[in-house]
Amino acid sequence: MSIDSLRRSARETVSGLPHGFWWLWLSTLVNRTGAFVLTFLSLYLTVELGHSAWFAGLVVALHGLGGVAGSPLGGMLTDRWGRRPTMVSMHLAAAACAAALAVVTSAWAIAAVVLLMGVAMQAVRPSINATIADMVPAHDVRRAYALNYWALNLGFAIASIGGGAAMFLGYRTLFVVDAVATTLCALIVFLRLPETRPETPTDTAGEPVAEEKVGMLTVLRDAPFRTLVLLNLLVCLVFTAPWIGLPLTMAGQGLSPSSYGVVIAVNGIVIVGFQLLVNKLTDKRSPVVLLSLSSLLFAFGTGATALAGSPVAFAATVIVWTIGEMIHVPTNAAATARLAPEHARGRYQGVMGMSWAVAAFVAPIGAGAIVDGPGPDVLWAACAAIGVVAAVGYSIRLRKALCEEPEEATPAAGPVRTEDAPSSVSA
């Protein structure tokens, strides 16, 4: 492929999206560029404050547990209150938690702050995903999700490098920088992002038409969507397992922690370097095919970890499941947007986000227990089996629900509020 063709592909990947989307993209990049808390939290707790590794693991797990509650909460607020006020309030709440970590020292106070931070950080995601579905034409939704995911990983890569270089300033300074970046993200949303929640439909006389009320139980009774959530939970379990199981497996083979650092860095490098190319190659493909393919890549990549014996081999397995990640995340988000009614997009995205949060809480505990018990080979075999089951499930259970092509010329939503800079965050 020539340089000119690469440039043309890059232009096609980023062209044609609404102006508001790029403000949202920028807010994601800014937010993740300052995301230091989770990256350095375990080191802060053990090295700086002298807590045990067990306590550090518990605190990190509490962040995931907070996300289990935060995701449906954010979905409800997104639909009832609005996308923009939910984003602003939850970003500010997360910023307050980051700032609090710079001053609190009590073990239980730190645990409580991290739990609340998990709630706030996860609660903002349904509003972001709903906003993208609202403002981007249906045939471009998956591309938009891929670009936003690329911004998230690009920002995280910058944060990891910058945070490591700035460690001489101290952990508390990093947490303050995190708070400032998250506040700046909230300001970008408040000042530049329009509210996109669909207007209440009216009849010919201009009177509001009552919409069907959608609660969390209603969402869970949607059989195709419930299947999508359960299958995504399986994939998330497989995706999360390497973050705990891989360093333990490499350590068990006598490889150094620095070797693991290099291997896991491949994940971010591949996403930042190749997300746009992968999106170009998979654009317009069937979502069922893509979800099945990504599940098989997760299965093959994690399963092959049992056969790896060198840093190069471990890095190769990471590349395989990272490609699965790049395909799966935007496709799953777009599938969620396709199945959700316009007036309930927040709740649908909230329930889907809860599957990620549950996996983030369960998988580390389960992976650690399996490695300490039956051994790492059993963990990787289980991951491979779960990935294959998910792939079969997508192919059999969701082919009909996701086979219909979205209309090429119509937006993903009905009439929306598009004022550039409303004067308040109230809906």
Side-chain angles (χ1 to χ4, degrees), residues 24-303:
L24 182 63
W25 185 92
L26 178 62
S27 72
T28 298
L29 180 63
V30 169
N31 186 27
R32 296 300 293 180
T33 298
F36 299 118
V37 170
L38 288 182
T39 305
F40 297 98
L41 182 59
S42 59
L43 290 175
Y44 172 66
L45 292 171
T46 54
V47 176
E48 181 82 0
L49 299 183
H51 293 294
S52 66
W54 174 87
F55 179 76
L58 173 63
V59 171
V60 173
L62 286 176
H63 186 277
L65 184 62
V68 175
S71 191
L73 172 65
M76 180 189 68
L77 292 176
T78 296
D79 289 335
R80 287 189 177 182
W81 196 10
R83 280 65 160 141
R84 183 169 160 273
T86 301
M87 273 188 266
V88 171
S89 58
M90 292 301 110
H91 279 314
L92 291 178
C97 290
L101 284 176
V103 296
V104 299
T105 56
S106 165
W108 295 113
I110 291 173
V113 169
V114 171
L115 177 66
L116 292 175
M117 177 177 275
V119 173
M121 290 181 65
Q122 191 67 32
V124 78
R125 294 181 182 178
S127 58
I128 294 173
N129 287 342
T131 298
I132 293 174
D134 291 338
M135 67 169 52
V136 176
H139 61 281
D140 282 331
V141 164
R142 184 185 173 277
R143 177 162 64 99
Y145 282 127
L147 286 168
N148 198 64
Y149 189 65
W150 180 58
L152 187 151
N153 282 278
L154 178 60
F156 184 75
I158 295 172
S160 299
I161 297 171
M167 278 300 295
F168 67 90
L169 297 174
Y171 294 99
R172 290 181 173 86
T173 302
L174 294 181
F175 297 159
V176 171
V177 173
D178 192 331
V180 171
T182 307
T183 302
L184 179 58
C185 170
L187 285 174
I188 293 172
V189 172
F190 178 70
L191 296 174
R192 304 305 305 170
L193 192 68
E195 175 58 63
T196 64
R197 184 178 58 175
E199 298 279 9
T200 302
T202 57
D203 57 22
T204 55
E207 295 295 326
V209 176
E211 295 177 323
E212 179 185 358
K213 293 184 178 180
V214 179
M216 288 301 169
L217 292 179
T218 309
V219 175
L220 293 175
R221 283 197 292 266
D222 183 334
F225 179 67
R226 184 174 65 243
T227 301
L228 183 68
V229 171
L230 292 175
L231 291 174
N232 185 67
L233 176 59
L234 294 181
V235 173
C236 291
L237 291 172
V238 176
F239 168 65
T240 308
W243 298 93
I244 301 298
L246 184 57
L248 296 177
T249 299
M250 293 180 66
Q253 295 188 13
L255 297 173
S256 66
S258 62
S259 296
Y260 168 71
V262 172
V263 167
I264 203 60
V266 170
N267 174 260
I269 293 170
V270 170
I271 292 176
V272 172
F274 297 100
Q275 177 72 66
L276 299 184
L277 176 60
V278 169
N279 188 61
K280 179 65 177 177
L281 295 175
T282 57
D283 194 27
K284 312 301 182 185
R285 305 293 181 182
S286 163
V288 171
V289 171
L290 293 178
L291 290 170
S292 299
L293 174 62
S294 64
S295 300
L296 291 176
L297 288 170
F298 275 119
F300 180 74
T302 55

